[in-house]
């Protein structure tokens, strides 16, 4: 019983205590649940986060794979050590910064005041490396080392830099490296990385880039900036951060970089160099293949560029010139530019007509110096104004009679011409293992109808293919356009017995040949015409390719001149030399070697060279003499080619 004077106890106290107890228990339960979530359920996530806060990973760039010739005896592109000069302000001891900067400006030709400003901006992190100059030369490095006693805190960091050992030679085939764009960054590429932009460097980027390594150190959480250095052998290490705090490397996490794989090419660098010498001062291309395998020996193109200008510090002017110059030196004219094939197209026409039974070895046409379609007033001239008279296929190839092939083209028809062009690789991509190849075009009825419908949707008569178009196409004019590489492939088929070959630069790919596309009889007839083109000696008429003759070697050849403008525009000029350069015909010559190993297929193009017989054919003789007179071949020719 409640005593007298004792306060009456609140009736609901037990309920409140119970409620508080439940609340406390619930709170502890939530706390326990949260602890379980943090320490058990999400243990891996948070431990990883903690580890990442404690550790810093520095990427060790993998050396890029090398580019060789057919074997390791010829290296076309490798990696050289590059020395970057840096300064660490905290290690300058008591030497005044302005004196050090001034001395460096004198020794290595930099702006000392600009360097002093950079040092002042970084004074809160005195152990941070400040770049003085990238890729210092040997002479600059020697001067710095000579005065090292007065340059405390200045040292070098060794990096790897791409080197192209033959300069401009084969530059367009090898390609170049360029800094990656922000949108291209990925797990493999970070800002500042270099990536292949053309040629082999681009085509085999994934093979040559290698796998990066890593160096891991313990760091302080605030403002982590470990300072990567290299020893005398280029090995990377980290000792301090930008505040001078000592850092320890976690050796168990270190992973050495794996170098990229090498690429072994099919290029004959001596022949490539010789061919580029022939083209000096001109705009043109020379493609040389092993006719039996498609092995690319040479893809010379002029003008060219040195890939080193894109990776070597201080060559900005050269780089800008290469990117902006006209004609464009960045494109390889062997497979990245197209031209009207002119009379070298007659080889395809002769092959197709013989295979289709349109003509045979004895078929003749009369050439009076011009050709005319029934009911058409226009005349198509032959290059020989007085005409060739009655002529058969062998002589038509040897003397390049236009009228003969006007007649053959009309009988063959545009669609058969287009079909055979596709078989022999004209107007279609060759499949070469280099980027940015262009296809060209050999037109057909279907192609014209498709194109003209877009331009003249309401004029069906514009969609038609007229006989005059076939006359133009028969001598490689009109809409026809091909690459020098494609014409070399066509010649390879004539040399090797009718197989279409796939060209390749990476020797690991190997040869790929089609089944024979051309009969032995057709090969025999076409070869006879192309032999006579080269071997027909004076007195006149000589073969149009006589300048390509090399005594003792069975050389096939076909000349070509591709018109740039209507022939009427030439009439105002007294001589060919008076014709403006840009209006002059392109000069072609395709050649093959039958009786030597390896058998060559060659295509030479000289832009605005006027005549294949005079501008291009002599180069074929130079190339053949040079190639087969080298040690290790079965022929020695006393004469040397003229490279002028």
């Amino acid at each position: 019983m409640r005593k007298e004077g004792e306060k009456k106890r609140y009736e609901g106290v037990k309920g409140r205590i119970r409620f508080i107890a439940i609340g406390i228990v619930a709170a502890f339960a939530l706390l326990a649940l949260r602890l379980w979530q943090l320490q058990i359920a999400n243990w891996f996530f948070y431990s990883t986060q903690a580890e990442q806060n404690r550790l810093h990973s520095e990427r060790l760039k993998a050396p890029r794979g090398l580019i060789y010739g057919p074997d390791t005896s010829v290296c076309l592109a490798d990696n050289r050590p590059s020395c970057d000069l840096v300064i660490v302000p905290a290690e300058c001891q008591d030497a005044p910064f302005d004196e050090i900067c001034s001395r460096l400006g004198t020794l290595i030709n930099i702006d000392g005041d600009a360097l002093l400003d950079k040092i002042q901006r970084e004074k809160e992190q005195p152990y941070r490396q400040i770049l003085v100059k990238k890729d210092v030369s040997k002479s600059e490095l020697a001067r710095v080392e000579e005065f090292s006693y007065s340059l405390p805190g200045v040292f070098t960091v060794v990096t790897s830099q791409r080197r192209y050992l033959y300069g401009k030679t084969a530059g367009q085939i090898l390609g170049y490296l360029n800094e990656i764009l922000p949108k291209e960054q990925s797990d493999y590429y970070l800002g500042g990385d270099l990536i292949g932009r053309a040629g082999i460097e681009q085509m085999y980027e994934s093979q040559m880039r290698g796998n990066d390594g890593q160096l891991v150190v313990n760091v302080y959480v605030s403002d982590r900036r470990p300072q990567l250095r290299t020893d005398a052998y280029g090995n990377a290490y980290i000792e301090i951060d930008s505040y001078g705090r000592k850092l320890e490397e976690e050796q168990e996490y270190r992973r050495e970089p794996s170098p990229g794989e090498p690429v072994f090419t099919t290029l004959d660098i001596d022949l490539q160099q010789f061919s580029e010498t022939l083209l000096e001062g001109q705009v043109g291309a020379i493609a040389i293949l092993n006719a039996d395998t498609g092995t690319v020996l040479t893809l010379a193109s002029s003008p060219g560029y040195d890939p080193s200008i894109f990776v070597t510090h201080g060559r900005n002017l050269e780089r800008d010139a290469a990117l902006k110059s006209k004609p464009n030196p960045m494109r390889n004219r062997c497979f990245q530019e197209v031209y009207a094939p002119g009379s070298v197209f007659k080889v395809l026409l002769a092959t197709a007509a013989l295979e289709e039974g349109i003509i045979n070895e004895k078929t003749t046409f009369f050439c009076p110096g011009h050709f005319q379609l029934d009911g058409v007033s226009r005349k198509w001239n032959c290059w020989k104004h007085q005409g060739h008279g009655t002529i058969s296929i062998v002589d038509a190839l040897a003397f390049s009679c236009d009228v003969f092939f006007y007649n053959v083209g009309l009988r063959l028809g545009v669609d058969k011409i287009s079909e055979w062009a596709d078989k022999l690789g004209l107007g279609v991509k060759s499949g070469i293992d280099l980027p940015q190849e262009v296809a060209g075009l050999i037109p057909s009825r279907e192609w014209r109808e498709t194109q003209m419908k877009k331009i003249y949707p309401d004029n069906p008569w514009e969609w038609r293919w007229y006989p005059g178009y076939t006359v133009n196409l028969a001598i490689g004019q009109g809409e026809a356009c091909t690459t020098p590489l494609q014409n070399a492939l066509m010649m390879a088929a004539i040399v090797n017995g009718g197989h279409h070959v796939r060209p390749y630069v990476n020797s690991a790919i190997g040869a790929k040949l089609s089944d024979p596309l051309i009969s032995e009889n057709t090969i025999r007839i076409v070869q006879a015409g192309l032999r006579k083109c080269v071997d027909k000696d004076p007195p006149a008429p000589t073969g149009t390719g006589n300048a390509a003759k090399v005594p003792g070697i069975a050389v096939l050849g076909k000349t070509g001149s591709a018109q740039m403008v209507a022939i009427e525009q030439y009439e105002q000029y007294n001589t060919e030399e008076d014709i403006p350069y840009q209006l002059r015909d392109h000069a072609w010559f395709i050649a093959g070697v039958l009786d030597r190993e390896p058998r060559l297929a060659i295509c030479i193009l000289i832009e605005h060279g006027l005549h294949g017989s005079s501008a291009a054919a002599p180069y074929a003789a130079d190339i053949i003499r040079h190639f087969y007179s080298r040690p290790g071949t079965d022929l020695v020719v006393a004469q040397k080619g003229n490279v002028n």
Side-chain angles (χ1 to χ4, degrees), residues 316-384:
N316 296 347
L317 294 178
E318 294 174 78
R319 184 163 56 249
D320 288 345
L323 293 171
K324 298 175 183 177
S325 293
K326 300 293 181 182
N328 187 356
M330 303 298 294
R331 297 185 67 78
N332 190 308
R333 285 164 172 74
C334 287
F335 63 96
Q336 293 178 329
E337 295 287 355
V338 294
Y339 308 85
S343 289
V344 298
F345 194 69
K346 294 171 183 175
V347 175
L348 176 120
L349 216 68
T351 301
L354 288 165
E355 285 295 289
E356 294 293 334
I358 302 297
I359 61 171
N360 58 42
E361 191 171 4
K362 297 181 179 179
T363 302
T364 61
F365 295 101
F366 179 73
C367 171
H370 63 270
F371 175 82
Q372 202 164 356
L373 286 168
D374 293 339
V376 178
S377 60
R378 174 189 170 181
K379 290 183 179 180
W380 281 265
N381 293 320
C382 182
W383 72 266
K384 188 176 181 181

Side-chain angles (χ1 to χ4, degrees), residues 480-491:
C481 56
T482 60
T483 67
L485 176 59
Q486 291 169 2
N487 286 290
L489 291 170
M490 177 178 65
M491 179 55 87

